[in-house]
Amino acid sequence: MNISKKAALPAVAIAAAAVAALQLFMYDSEIIIAQATLGSIPVELIAEILITVTLHAFFVLVIPLILIARKNITAGYAALALSLAAYVQLTTDLSLIGMAVTAIAFSILAVWAISKALEWVRYLRAR
């Protein structure tokens, strides 16, 4: 299994779990009504939920998987965070895009600061 496939599997799992959790919350009332009236969940409702989760996860994963396949793994996961934040905003009106952009910016800043600190330590050791 090559690097892009190994990096893509966790991305698919993260997106599928997030989309499935949101869709189960969206279908919660229909599930409760179906259980109250029929005693169980009808197969049609289960199929509708599975199809919805699959389609929404596909649309959330299009750009991140393209980036991961092109060996831009970090950019792929950053795009996954942004696309999941946009999906949450579209489905629940809860704005997470600003927090996702801020988290990505702080991550970039932290990596830059750590690399500069390591360069400084190497410089001091060499002196």
Side-chain angles (χ1 to χ4, degrees):
M1 189 177 280
N2 61 13
I3 296 275
S4 60
K5 286 182 184 176
K6 287 180 184 177
L9 289 176
V12 170
I14 291 168
V19 170
L22 282 174
Q23 287 302 317
L24 284 177
F25 285 128
M26 300 292 281
Y27 279 101
D28 193 33
S29 60
E30 291 181 27
I31 292 171
I32 291 171
I33 291 170
Q35 284 179 338
T37 58
L38 302 174
S40 66
I41 303 172
V43 176
E44 293 86 13
L45 183 59
I46 294 172
E48 181 182 343
I49 293 171
L50 288 176
I51 290 170
T52 304
V53 166
T54 305
L55 285 174
H56 288 196
F58 173 76
F59 288 123
V60 165
L61 281 169
V62 169
I63 294 173
L65 285 182
I66 290 171
L67 288 171
I68 290 171
R70 292 180 178 236
K71 306 285 191 250
N72 294 332
I73 295 170
T74 307
Y77 278 102
L80 177 64
L82 290 175
S83 62
L84 281 175
Y87 179 73
V88 168
Q89 185 170 355
L90 286 173
T91 56
T92 64
D93 284 339
L94 180 65
S95 181
L96 295 178
I97 293 178
M99 289 190 339
V101 169
T102 304
I104 291 169
F106 277 128
S107 300
I108 291 170
L109 183 62
V111 168
W112 178 81
I114 289 170
S115 68
K116 290 298 177 182
L118 289 174
E119 287 178 17
W120 188 64
V121 167
R122 283 189 208 119
Y123 171 74
L124 289 177
R125 284 186 180 173
R127 262 181 66 188

